[in-house]
Amino acid sequence: MTTGKQHHLRSAQSIKAELLAVLEGMDYCLDWKGDTTEWSARELVYHVLDTPPGGIHSLVKGVLSGELREYDLWSDLTNMTPERAGYDLAQVTADIESFFQGLEDA
């Protein structure tokens, strides 16, 4: 019998695999935008990893431990920093791996 936790962990692992597959080979175009109003792949990745602030894994951990009763949800933030703007695809991938490990640990 599959528990809710196992189902959600498998779902998260599937999302991680799909995200990493989409980014594979995108070194040269992580920052490409079809238009100035669009977000680059890099901006989308870091929006997902750090929304809500600190990442969803921090939110899940806080809710499950009872330490967090409310949180801020920010929209339209790319969460880009000068440091992240300089990362190569290997570092972006490492950040994705770290994010999903944090979610699994939570």
Side-chain angles (χ1 to χ4, degrees):
M1 181 169 139
T2 302
T3 67
K5 178 181 175 181
Q6 291 168 329
H7 171 76
H8 292 302
L9 284 173
R10 275 199 302 272
S11 179
Q13 291 165 348
S14 175
I15 291 167
K16 177 182 86 171
E18 288 180 44
L19 178 57
L20 292 174
V22 166
L23 291 174
E24 190 173 327
M26 288 187 68
D27 308 67
Y28 69 97
C29 62
L30 274 175
D31 298 305
W32 179 83
K33 297 179 183 187
D35 171 301
T36 57
T37 62
E38 295 177 2
W39 286 11
S40 68
R42 182 188 310 269
E43 289 170 327
L44 289 168
V45 165
Y46 285 106
H47 172 75
V48 169
L49 297 186
D50 270 350
T51 301
I56 193 70
H57 57 288
S58 298
L59 176 66
V60 169
K61 189 178 279 185
V63 168
L64 292 176
S65 70
E67 294 176 15
L68 186 64
R69 293 179 179 257
E70 62 182 53
Y71 62 94
D72 293 325
L73 184 60
W74 301 353
S75 64
D76 300 327
L77 294 177
T78 63
N79 300 315
M80 287 302 302
T81 64
E83 183 180 36
R84 287 176 171 171
Y87 288 169
D88 61 7
L89 185 57
Q91 182 59 53
V92 173
T93 299
D95 286 349
I96 292 168
E97 294 281 359
S98 177
F99 168 85
F100 280 95
Q101 185 60 56
L103 185 58
E104 187 174 322
D105 292 347

